[in-house]
């Protein structure tokens, strides 16, 4: 199975500052020029919400301060100017090839 | 609006059975793969089971193979997870989610607790 490792496990960022979360996969997620990597946000008591798929394609309605980048085995979720409502746990998830589709362990983002 | 209404979670003894249900609305159900994903404090998120549009293809997490069965009713727009021989480690919040290789909509989740 592909192992997804996020870093850091938690971080605290001030309002208006940039937050960066890393996700590394144990094998390349690149196939046919597409990276099969998604990012989710989970607020307390809520289900996960899809933010980004194919590494950098933002979902409709997701603020443009959220962006995804990377290729192969190294990916990044960036929140350009942190808002209070961005406090949550963030997960990456790979979908390369056949299941099992695995998630990272999560990164808890807090407001400093 | 897309809605996924999940029900069926409960406290059950080890070795027991439970059936989770997910009622879908707001989209053409037969156009989508459907999934069950669980969340535990210890293991985080796990993609438990997936079923294709007509129910002919199913995927299961290795640890639930032979114990869990995913199915769907394309007339009633619902997906189910039959869980047998439940173990303590199956304790989790179970989510119903729509999608083939990523989940674009999720239900609210239902808590399954396996404990003696």
């Amino acid at each position: 199975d592909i192992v997804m490792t996020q870093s850091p496990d938690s971080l605290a960022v001030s309002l208006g500052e940039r937050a960066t979360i890393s996700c590394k996969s144990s094998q390349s997620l690149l196939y046919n020029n597409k990276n099969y990597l998604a990012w989710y946000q989970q607020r307390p008591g809520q289900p996960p919400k899809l933010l980004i798929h194919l590494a950098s394609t933002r979902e409709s309605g997701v603020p443009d301060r959220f962006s995804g980048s990377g290729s192969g085995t190294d990916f990044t979720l960036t929140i350009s100017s942190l808002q209070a409502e961005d406090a949550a746990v963030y997960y990456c998830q790979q979908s390369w090839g056949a299941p099992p589709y695995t998630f990272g362990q999560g990164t808890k983002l807090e407001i400093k | 609006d897309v809605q996924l209404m999940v029900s069926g979670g409960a406290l059950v003894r080890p070795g027991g059975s439970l059936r989770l249900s997910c009622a879908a609305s707001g989209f053409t159900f037969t156009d989508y793969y459907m999934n069950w994903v669980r969340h535990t404090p210890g293991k985080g998120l796990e993609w438990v089971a997936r079923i294709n549009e007509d129910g002919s293809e199913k995927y299961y997490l290795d640890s639930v193979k032979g114990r869990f069965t995913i199915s769907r009713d394309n007339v009633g727009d619902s997906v189910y997870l039959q869980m047998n021989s439940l173990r303590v480690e199956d304790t989790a919040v179970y989510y119903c989610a729509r999608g083939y290789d990523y989940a674009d909509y999720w239900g609210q989740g239902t808590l399954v607790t396996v404990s003696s």
Side-chain angles (χ1 to χ4, degrees):
Chain A
D1 296 356
I2 297 175
V3 177
M4 306 298 291
T5 304
Q6 292 179 228
S7 61
D9 289 334
S10 64
L11 76 162
V13 177
S14 300
L15 290 173
E17 296 298 304
R18 177 186 300 257
T20 301
I21 297 170
S22 172
C23 175
K24 295 183 187 293
S25 58
S26 60
Q27 69 180 68
S28 177
L29 304 182
L30 180 65
Y31 179 75
N32 275 357
N33 226 27
K34 296 179 183 179
N35 286 281
Y36 287 84
L37 187 283
W39 288 98
Y40 300 86
Q41 174 194 66
Q42 187 173 27
R43 297 188 178 114
Q46 295 295 314
K49 173 188 175 182
L50 179 66
L51 299 175
I52 286 167
H53 70 275
L54 293 178
S56 60
T57 301
R58 195 183 310 114
E59 291 302 295
S60 173
V62 173
D64 60 8
R65 64 180 181 274
F66 290 90
S67 63
S69 62
S71 184
T73 60
D74 292 286
F75 301 91
T76 301
L77 175 69
T78 301
I79 309 171
S80 60
S81 178
L82 196 70
Q83 305 298 303
E85 61 266 30
D86 299 336
V89 179
Y90 292 83
Y91 296 93
C92 60
Q93 175 243 317
Q94 65 80 18
S95 56
W96 187 90
Y101 297 147
T102 47
F103 293 85
Q105 80 277 17
T107 294
K108 185 175 184 179
L109 175 58
E110 297 176 316
I111 309 299
K112 191 186 294 182
Chain B
D1 286 4
V2 172
Q3 290 198 9
L4 298 170
M5 299 293 292
V6 182
S7 60
L11 169 64
V12 62
R13 303 284 192 215
S17 297
L18 209 55
R19 188 194 198 208
L20 306 182
S21 300
C22 172
S25 61
F27 64 100
T28 303
F29 186 67
T30 51
D31 283 351
Y32 291 89
Y33 278 64
M34 296 297 297
N35 309 273
W36 289 96
V37 180
R38 67 185 180 187
H39 187 204
T40 65
K43 288 194 168 185
L45 289 165
E46 290 185 303
W47 203 293
V48 175
R50 184 180 81 169
I51 189 167
N52 71 338
E53 296 94 334
D54 66 5
S56 60
E57 295 177 12
K58 302 176 184 180
Y59 153 78
Y60 297 98
L61 186 66
D62 278 350
S63 61
V64 309
K65 278 180 187 173
R67 300 188 299 123
F68 289 12
T69 303
I70 188 171
S71 61
R72 65 190 292 159
D73 172 5
N74 283 349
V75 174
D77 290 358
S78 293
V79 61
Y80 305 99
L81 187 67
Q82 177 67 43
M83 303 186 293
N84 298 330
S85 303
L86 280 160
R87 304 169 180 169
V88 170
E89 55 265 33
D90 295 319
T91 295
V93 175
Y94 284 75
Y95 296 100
C96 169
R98 185 185 86 168
Y100 171 71
D101 52 2
Y102 57 86
D104 61 355
Y105 284 94
W106 299 61
Q108 277 296 325
T110 189
L111 177 61
V112 173
T113 304
V114 185
S115 174
S116 54

